[in-house]
Amino acid sequence: KTANREALLLMLYAGAVRFLKQAIEATEKKDNPEKYRLIGRTQEIINELRATLNFEVGGDIAATLESLYDFITDRLLLGNREPDPKPLVEALNVLTTLHTAWEQAIESLKKEKNSTAQP
């Protein structure tokens, strides 16, 4: 409740990555009820991330993120039906890349903000 927007964004990505890794493990163990639950949790986070897109401010970046969220959703749906974890791994790769990119972007903005704030 006290986290800023950037921290919340990173927590959402971290949660999605964690749930998806656990879904892949459940798939490998053939624990379908757990797999379905974890894929559902991941999808809820993707839906939340999609809902926060601002196309007026974000322009092309928001459109690109929407396309990536569409891809992730497609992979989650396929992974939900398939016994092979490959679609989930593909979604995880995209999510991990996005999480890392946001971490780097936020850190860069913090450094820039700190350097301009110092006399």
Side-chain angles (χ1 to χ4, degrees):
K1 291 183 178 182
T2 61
N4 63 28
R5 288 188 344 218
E6 293 84 6
L8 287 172
L9 178 71
L10 293 179
M11 286 190 293
L12 285 170
Y13 275 108
V17 167
R18 184 178 67 252
F19 291 138
L20 196 47
K21 284 180 179 178
Q22 292 171 350
I24 291 167
E25 289 174 12
T27 301
E28 291 167 347
K29 293 177 183 174
K30 298 183 185 349
D31 183 352
N32 287 334
E34 184 68 357
K35 173 180 108 167
Y36 301 148
R37 185 185 75 78
L38 292 162
I39 289 173
R41 296 287 304 268
T42 306
Q43 186 60 54
E44 289 170 3
I45 293 172
I46 297 304
N47 291 343
E48 183 64 30
L49 290 168
R50 184 190 314 272
T52 64
L53 292 175
N54 183 332
F55 292 93
E56 289 179 20
V57 175
D60 290 342
I61 293 172
T64 299
L65 285 170
E66 182 179 46
S67 294
L68 290 170
Y69 296 154
D70 287 345
F71 173 80
I72 292 167
T73 296
D74 178 67
R75 300 288 90 192
L76 293 176
L77 291 171
L78 186 59
N80 212 25
R81 293 190 309 263
E82 299 290 323
D84 183 359
K86 185 178 180 215
L88 300 179
V89 171
E90 292 170 349
L92 179 62
N93 289 338
V94 174
L95 269 174
T96 302
T97 300
L98 286 171
H99 185 221
T100 301
W102 279 113
E103 284 178 323
Q104 292 171 351
I106 289 168
E107 186 61 34
S108 178
L109 286 173
K110 283 181 185 175
K111 286 180 182 176
E112 185 179 309
K113 191 175 184 179
N114 288 339
S115 69
T116 57
Q118 294 177 1

